[in-house]
Amino acid sequence: MVDISINSISGEQELKSRSLGQETLRRLLKNKGAIIGMLFLLILIIAAVLSGFIYDYDTDVISQNIGERLQWPSRAHIFGTDELGRDIFIRILYGARYSLTIGSGSVLIGLIVGVIFGSIAGFYGGMVDQVIMRTNDILYAVPNIMIAVVIVSLLGTSTFNLLLALCVSASSSFVRIARASVMTIRGQEYIESAYAMGLPTWKIILKHVIPNSLSPIIVQVTLLIGTTIISASSLSFLGIGVPSPAPEWGAMLSAGRSQIRNASYICVIPGLAIMFTVLALNLLGDGLRDALDPKLKK
Amino acid sequence: MFRYILKRLLLMIPVILVTSLVIYFAMSLTGGDPAIYLAPENASDAQIQQIRVDLGLTESFPIRYLKYMAGMFRGNMGTSYVTKRDVFNTFMTRLPNTLQLAGASVLIATLIAIPLGIYTAIHQNTWKDTAGMIFALFGVSMPNFWLGLMLIILFSLKLGWLPSGGKTGLLSLVLPAMTVGLGLAALITRTTRSSMLDVIREDYIRTARAKGCSEKRVIRKHAMGNALIPIITVIGMQLSNVLTGSVLAETVFSWPGIGRLIFDSISKRDTPMVTGSIILCSVLMVAINLLVDVIYAFFDPRIKAQFMRKV
Amino acid sequence: MADEKMDYMLEVKDLKVQYNTDAGIVYAVNGLDLCITSKKTLGLVGETGAGKTTTALSILNLVPNPPGKITSGEIFLAGKSVLGMNINELEKMRGNEVAMIFQDPMTALNPVMTVGDQIAESIMLHNKVSETESMSRAKEMLRLVGIDEGRIHDYPHQFSGGMRQRVVIAIALACHPKFLIADEPTTALDVTIQAQVLELIKQLIAKSDMSVLLITHDLGVVAEICDEVAVMYSGRIVEKGTADDVFNHILHVYTEGLFNSLPNLRKRGEELRPIKGMMPNPMEKIVGCSFAPRCPYATKRCLSEIPALRKMSDTHFVACHAYDDKTFTLKGNING
């Protein structure tokens, strides 16, 4: 072959190199949706944290005040009061604490567990891989609400059991992602050259495998927190999530059902809270996905 | 193809066995004593013990399990503590209701989502795309049981057009199906759009245009045929979510399906019903997965070839 | 440059194409002049990034419209203005009078359609024939490119790279086009398969009356197949002539550099001699001759005025100000 492309090779070195993190951040900040999402989440987190200091759980959040029950939103109670006279605005703010902690907690723990198992499966292959993946297939296929149902019926209704159930579900998607990343990267040439250079296995994993698997995991975490918040509220709605009188948003909706005819605002407001929180997470997650791999968008 | 299906059916068996074993074991730990529930009032201890023997409860766990599974094939999975009725029958009576709900939901979802997804992909980056995407984003972010409540407030309470609960005819299916279907539609719209966008960039689309295909034909014949494959995959993956969505919708609308059944049984600690329905549910889901995989193979000749070869 | 008496299949005049990307505007083609005589094969040579594929796509008006845009110029196919055609005329012309083969056979075929259907589609789009008729014609095409007819109902994934490219060729030639554009048709193939496919293309060209635009960065292919050669640099043509003109009587410094950069198998110990410097960044608008920064003969004029293609003989043209001086010749000192 009489190839003249040798001339192109000598010229290709002058591309500006920015670190991956800087590039990603720049692209992310260009995304208006992602910024809205981040701002909302920031405000929500601050509100959730502050509400712990401003309001006292027993007097403000759960104490009943029958005289003031079922009042529509007004200046005294911005979001109105529920069927037991409790101020809904305060309960919503406090409820953010539940949603955010349960959502992010279960996903992050699920992440660690899932990545460990997935990486082991992908890296070693063979029997280990088969066992881990078959078990994971079952967990992945069963919807997280069902898993929660089983765990709750075995162990009882409590916030901890809810968390446990959600962790189990969350880990199953990470097992898949981690395994796929490890397997793809394992086969790539720069790993072979790393081996050839004599790097020990754990170093290869740390320096090469993990940074490259990071992108899909970051996106998945963000989006999964949103789904988990919805699941947690669904389970609380059904009565097997966070036990009452805790102001979990789903539980508030469940209680509000009986009042749907004359106090419909009770059924609207907590749902809006859930929706906007998850919306913010989705906007952020989509933004991260576009920022981390622009090829996907174009 | 048939050998593939047969192979998958055979593979179903260990999955069902393992699942049922786990559930049966777990339930037997917590289930309470059926004999006490089933015995008439004022029964003596000896009578209760006799009931236990009759029910086979005194035998060892493996034997009880095997007998239970054998019973499943004959349609006998015990009696509900609460209703005193046959577990298997109760499940089977309510199954069609859930299937109707699930079917209607998937129908609504695909009828809305696939055209919308294609439309937004073709008009990418215009206001039509943005509007469609905003709709989809909201749809994916809202809990479907809340959507159900909103629909009730609007269509039942304010407008009075549709019933707010129970199964009372075709109209009563509308709101529950929309509750599950709209959320699903939002998800499928996003998938369809991104699948179309990926496919449109492929080289073979350029080849088709270079051949002289009109843009309409490019979309209809070349893009859709390829874009549908991941869309069907996603729909298949969502089927179990449709089931859970049904659980929530059934609760909100008092729809007599198996989702509601499982939940009521759990809250009433009706162990035989819980055990039986969860096991039957898992059988159902495995069967549906198989169905989806087979449909999938129809659409993608590469997968079909793999299947044929594997066996 | 075009002579009124000659019969030209393709005439491109001052074509300018740019891509409006997020990162800035990419000036892919910057005033390209080209013509191909009927029934002749022209090799368009240039490095990666020179704008060859964009040029080819422009001929069919297939440049992806966002982000690409043809900003000026004219393209005539057998006398008809391509850029003036409406979408119906374009669709009638594509695949029918003009066909194009692309570089990567692995992705050029629709994975869920049989190869028979893909060839037959081409036929049915442009001819009123029945399905059976088009299928039998498709079988003929398979035979023509050396594939067993029996494979007509097979899917692309069942073929190797070389065979897929043959299918691509079969699709392109199915309607007996008058003009074929081949964009690096063998680059993505294994070396041994390349020779086979090239041989096939050579035979098919000889058997028909087609005019061909063959885009490549392989000078050996050009030598084998092409009657005429055009050398492209940074979106413009810098030298054009018959194969003999360009190979044996090099006029442009860049062309000289290209030939010099080829490794000499007889003098294996020698160092490779790539051309010093780099092709300009396509995102910067160029003033003057785009090669000037790397050219040992460059003058002040070269940096401000773009050289037009100058006629040096009936067939040989070069874009270089140095030839203002009638006694100028290349001294073989491109790298100083």
Side-chain angles (χ1 to χ4, degrees), chain A residues 138 140-146 149-150 152-156 176 223 230 233-235 237-238 240 249-250 253-254 257 260-261 264-265 267-272 274-276 278-280 282-283 286 289 295-298, chain B residues 15 18-19 23 26-27 29-30 124-125 134 137-138 140-146 149-150 152-153 157-158 164 190 197-198 201 237 240-241 243-244 247-248 251-254 259-260 262-263 266 269 274 278 281 285 289:
Chain A
I138 298 181
Y140 189 79
V142 179
N144 50 5
I145 295 195
M146 286 301 177
V149 165
V150 173
V152 164
S153 57
L154 292 178
L155 303 174
R176 289 191 161 196
L223 298 174
I230 293 187
S233 62
S234 305
L235 289 165
F237 177 79
L238 291 169
I240 59 174
W249 295 338
L253 285 170
S254 174
R257 259 184 93 201
I260 195 169
R261 283 174 198 280
S264 51
Y265 62 91
C267 292
V268 175
I269 295 173
L272 285 175
I274 302 174
M275 183 174 83
F276 283 117
V278 178
L279 190 66
N282 280 332
L283 283 170
D286 281 352
R289 183 195 287 138
K295 280 177 266 152
L296 286 178
K297 186 182 186 181
K298 289 280 158 208
Chain B
V15 174
V18 171
T19 328
I23 294 174
M27 287 297 144
L29 290 179
T30 64
Q124 191 191 12
N125 293 329
I134 291 180
L137 195 56
F138 272 85
V140 169
S141 309
M142 67 172 89
N144 64 357
F145 63 89
W146 179 68
L149 293 173
M150 295 295 104
I152 291 180
I153 293 180
L157 299 178
K158 294 259 157 69
S164 63
R190 296 177 102 202
L197 287 177
D198 283 341
R201 289 181 208 322
M237 292 194 318
S240 51
N241 283 340
L243 189 60
T244 36
V247 170
L248 291 160
T251 305
V252 172
F253 291 94
S254 308
R260 195 86 197 98
I262 295 181
F263 263 87
I266 289 183
R269 315 235 87 211
V274 174
I278 294 188
C281 234
M285 292 207 274
N289 270 319

Side-chain angles (χ1 to χ4, degrees), chain B residues 86-134:
Chain B
D86 184 60
V87 166
F88 190 81
N89 264 335
T90 315
F91 185 89
M92 286 304 174
T93 319
R94 294 175 75 142
L95 179 61
N97 298 331
T98 301
L99 290 178
Q100 279 173 17
L101 179 56
S105 309
V106 172
L107 191 65
I108 292 181
T110 41
L111 284 178
I112 296 178
I114 293 187
L116 186 60
I118 297 176
Y119 188 78
T120 49
I122 296 178
H123 296 274
Q124 191 191 12
N125 293 329
T126 62
W127 68 267
K128 302 170 192 165
D129 181 23
T130 319
M133 280 300 99
I134 291 180

Side-chain angles (χ1 to χ4, degrees), chain B residues 19-90:
Chain B
T19 328
S20 56
L21 184 60
V22 169
I23 294 174
Y24 190 78
F25 179 68
M27 287 297 144
S28 67
L29 290 179
T30 64
D33 192 349
I36 299 184
Y37 283 97
L38 292 173
E41 306 268 336
N42 305 323
S44 70
D45 282 346
Q47 284 171 311
I48 297 179
Q49 184 61 18
Q50 184 57 44
I51 297 178
R52 283 201 197 99
V53 172
D54 290 337
L55 286 177
L57 291 173
T58 46
E59 301 182 40
S60 64
F61 178 79
I63 299 197
R64 274 187 288 139
Y65 171 70
L66 288 171
K67 283 194 173 173
Y68 183 78
M69 291 307 288
M72 179 170 94
F73 287 103
R74 280 182 278 122
N76 174 10
M77 292 177 86
T79 317
S80 158
Y81 288 170
V82 175
T83 62
K84 309 284 195 272
R85 291 211 287 262
D86 184 60
V87 166
F88 190 81
N89 264 335
T90 315

Side-chain angles (χ1 to χ4, degrees), chain B residues 193-208:
Chain B
R193 177 181 181 273
S194 81
S195 179
M196 279 299 285
L197 287 177
D198 283 341
V199 165
I200 294 253
R201 289 181 208 322
E202 294 285 344
D203 283 346
Y204 55 83
I205 297 291
R206 189 173 61 171
T207 308

Side-chain angles (χ1 to χ4, degrees), chain C residues 236-249:
Chain C
R236 292 179 60 86
I237 303 287
V238 297
E239 182 166 356
K240 184 204 147 147
T242 63
D244 178 59
D245 284 339
V246 177
F247 274 68
N248 298 322
H249 306 285

Side-chain angles (χ1 to χ4, degrees), chain B residues 118 191-192 194-206 208 217-233 296 299-303, chain C residues 106-114 118 155-157:
Chain B
I118 297 176
T191 311
T192 304
S194 81
S195 179
M196 279 299 285
L197 287 177
D198 283 341
V199 165
I200 294 253
R201 289 181 208 322
E202 294 285 344
D203 283 346
Y204 55 83
I205 297 291
R206 189 173 61 171
R217 189 183 168 87
V218 166
I219 302 280
R220 223 182 0 102
K221 188 136 212 273
H222 293 268
M224 277 302 299
N226 283 277
L228 272 179
I229 296 169
I231 296 172
I232 293 180
T233 313
Y296 188 74
F299 276 86
D300 189 342
R302 292 168 290 187
I303 305 291
Chain C
M106 301 306 275
T107 53
L109 296 171
N110 187 333
V112 300
M113 272 173 86
T114 62
Q118 296 193 50
Y155 287 91
H157 68 269

Side-chain angles (χ1 to χ4, degrees), chain C residues 22-42:
Chain C
D22 269 353
I25 301 183
V26 178
Y27 299 99
V29 181
N30 303 308
L32 187 109
D33 294 304
L34 196 63
C35 46
I36 302 183
T37 322
S38 272
K39 307 189 192 166
K40 297 281 187 189
T41 301
L42 176 85

Side-chain angles (χ1 to χ4, degrees), chain A residues 22-247:
Chain A
Q22 282 178 318
E23 261 301 306
T24 308
L25 197 61
R26 185 186 69 89
R27 283 194 290 257
L28 186 66
L29 291 177
K30 264 187 179 179
N31 184 329
K32 281 177 270 181
I35 295 188
I36 295 177
M38 282 193 287
L39 282 175
F40 181 87
L41 287 171
L42 202 58
I43 296 176
L44 190 67
I45 295 176
I46 294 177
V49 171
L50 284 182
S51 63
F53 295 111
I54 300 178
Y55 301 109
D56 174 68
Y57 186 68
D58 292 307
T59 48
D60 299 316
V61 177
I62 63 173
S63 76
Q64 305 177 9
N65 192 346
I66 305 293
E68 295 209 2
R69 66 192 295 261
L70 298 179
Q71 293 188 359
W72 281 74
S74 62
R75 234 189 255 148
H77 300 280
I78 313 176
F79 286 169
T81 57
D82 65 5
E83 72 286 356
L84 293 176
R86 301 173 290 200
D87 182 298
I88 292 183
F89 179 72
I90 299 178
R91 283 174 65 85
I92 293 271
L93 283 188
Y94 223 86
R97 299 159 68 91
Y98 287 88
S99 296
L100 291 172
T101 20
I102 295 177
S104 39
S106 50
V107 171
L108 289 172
I109 298 176
L111 169 67
I112 296 175
V113 171
V115 166
I116 293 178
F117 279 101
S119 308
I120 295 177
F123 201 74
Y124 290 104
M127 195 46 149
V128 172
D129 183 18
Q130 285 301 314
V131 169
I132 294 182
M133 289 319 285
R134 290 312 129 229
T135 321
N136 190 60
D137 281 344
I138 298 181
L139 288 176
Y140 189 79
V142 179
N144 50 5
I145 295 195
M146 286 301 177
I147 294 185
V149 165
V150 173
I151 291 186
V152 164
S153 57
L154 292 178
L155 303 174
T157 306
S158 76
T159 311
F160 178 79
N161 292 339
L162 177 66
L163 247 170
L164 181 65
L166 293 172
C167 279
V168 169
S169 275
S171 65
S172 61
S173 48
F174 292 113
V175 169
R176 289 191 161 196
I177 295 181
R179 177 179 180 268
S181 292
V182 168
M183 288 180 73
T184 314
I185 290 165
R186 219 180 75 185
Q188 292 199 0
E189 288 164 350
Y190 62 89
I191 297 296
E192 286 180 25
S193 42
Y195 268 125
M197 290 197 294
L199 278 183
T201 309
W202 67 269
K203 251 198 186 164
I204 294 180
I205 295 180
L206 209 55
K207 288 194 71 168
H208 293 286
V209 174
I210 289 184
N212 282 285
S213 333
L214 223 44
S215 309
I217 288 183
I218 291 179
V219 176
Q220 178 72 356
V221 165
T222 315
L223 298 174
L224 194 59
I225 294 182
T227 333
T228 308
I229 291 181
I230 293 187
S231 299
S233 62
S234 305
L235 289 165
S236 303
F237 177 79
L238 291 169
I240 59 174
V242 178
S244 66

